[in-house]
Amino acid sequence: MSKFNNLKLEVADEIAVLTISRPAALNALNSETLDELNVALTEIEARDDVKVLILTGGPDKKDNPYKSFVAGADISEMVNFTAAEARAFGMKASVPFFKLMNMRQVTIAAVNGFALGGGCEISMACDIRIAADNATFGQPETGLGIIPGFGGTQRLARLVGMGRAKELIFTCDSIDANEAYRIGLVNKVVAKEELMNTAKEMAKKIASKGSYAVSIAKAAINNGYDMDIKNAVEMEANLFGITCSTHDKAEGMGAFLERRAANLTDF
């Protein structure tokens, strides 16, 4: 794996934990970090020994592990952007964000502390979001005279509905983890001390299933979401057919009928 200045990667038991680590900036996303994310996610996707990726934020400069997931995009970098530079920055972020969304591995955001602006946006690019009970979500951009530039106006509306997305973006209100759960922004809320254990337990459960089938199901959900239902169901049938030609289908169904544990190895 490549070496990074702002990321830390650990891999064990088919689970990768990728930690964004800019302690002095509460893990804010700058250009270097976005470039490193792109490289790291490309390398992780190529690894057959990684079935699930957990994305989280590292400790702050006082070594508090619960302070911040990602506090936003780096305003100190953005302050003097021209229109062209701002657009390029947004497009730079879109590359790793779409990798999180579309890579064959399942991606879980383990959100500890602040998930504001770009932090909320990168969590929304993941498949699943687990929030510590001290997590805070928000899109504060209009209060700075800009709009979300890393997909916030699009992913938030798709997750929580247009009305709630407009309210959060127009008011710049932050919400706590329980409210994020209530409106469907996160899948689960746990005590902050249990965040990583909970994320890893979910990752282990996912990794124990047919990983090729999970990756195909992920693609079906992503690609069918904006299709009309007739074409989406036809696409699903085609992908269902593909999975029925695999080793894991024969092994999984055989094990079920024989009442034994399945050895699912496709990926």
Side-chain angles (χ1 to χ4, degrees):
M1 294 292 293
S2 299
K3 294 183 178 180
F4 304 109
N5 293 322
N6 303 315
L7 303 177
K8 296 179 181 178
L9 177 66
E10 299 176 359
V11 177
D13 301 322
E14 300 185 315
I15 300 165
V17 177
L18 185 63
T19 303
I20 299 172
S21 181
R22 296 188 68 214
L26 295 178
N27 306 323
L29 300 173
N30 62 358
S31 291
E32 181 182 46
T33 306
L34 293 172
D35 288 337
E36 289 186 356
L37 279 166
N38 187 38
V39 172
L41 295 174
T42 299
E43 294 182 358
I44 291 167
E45 185 174 24
R47 294 182 61 157
D48 290 337
D49 63 329
V50 175
K51 304 297 177 61
V52 182
L53 167 65
I54 299 171
L55 180 72
T56 195
D60 68 1
K61 60 184 179 182
K62 295 182 179 180
D63 206 33
N64 180 354
Y66 309 117
K67 182 71 172 181
S68 183
F69 172 66
V70 171
D74 194 329
I75 294 175
S76 66
E77 181 177 1
M78 295 190 296
V79 64
N80 293 317
F81 274 172
T82 65
E85 289 168 338
R87 181 187 186 280
F89 191 51
M91 294 306 295
K92 180 188 289 287
S94 74
V95 178
F97 282 33
F98 274 118
K99 280 196 168 80
L100 284 167
M101 180 178 172
N102 294 319
M103 64 195 298
R104 59 181 179 149
Q105 287 85 356
V106 173
T107 56
I108 300 173
V111 182
N112 47 322
F114 296 126
L116 303 175
C120 186
E121 288 168 306
I122 197 170
S123 77
M124 292 190 291
C126 294
D127 297 313
I128 295 167
R129 284 154 295 286
I130 301 174
D133 55 8
N134 72 322
T136 302
F137 296 84
Q139 299 289 162
E141 289 88 351
T142 62
L144 301 173
I146 59 174
I147 69 169
F150 291 177
T153 62
Q154 305 305 306
R155 290 192 174 95
L156 186 59
R158 285 165 168 77
L159 283 170
V160 305
M162 189 176 290
R164 288 195 176 100
K166 286 180 176 178
E167 179 184 354
L168 289 171
I169 291 169
F170 297 169
T171 65
C172 302
D173 286 346
S174 296
I175 58 174
D176 63 19
N178 288 325
E179 178 66 4
Y181 176 76
R182 187 186 74 82
I183 67 175
L185 181 55
V186 302
N187 299 74
K188 185 175 292 192
V189 178
V190 298
K192 61 181 184 291
E193 297 84 1
E194 294 300 318
L195 176 65
M196 290 308 297
N197 284 339
T198 302
K200 288 179 179 179
E201 284 303 311
M202 183 181 288
K204 288 178 184 176
K205 180 182 288 187
I206 293 169
S208 73
K209 310 306 178 186
S211 293
Y212 179 71
V214 169
S215 71
I216 294 295
K218 174 175 174 172
I221 294 167
N222 285 347
N223 293 328
Y225 189 80
D226 291 321
M227 294 172 63
D228 67 89
I229 188 65
K230 183 178 184 299
N231 285 315
V233 169
E234 183 176 353
M235 176 199 66
E236 180 189 76
N238 292 335
L239 295 174
F240 171 65
I242 290 171
T243 60
C244 282
S245 66
T246 64
H247 161 272
D248 276 4
K249 177 261 185 181
E251 169 62 15
M253 290 191 176
F256 177 83
L257 294 173
E258 296 165 13
R259 299 184 180 182
R260 60 175 175 83
N263 181 28
L264 305 177
T265 59
D266 291 336
F267 191 48

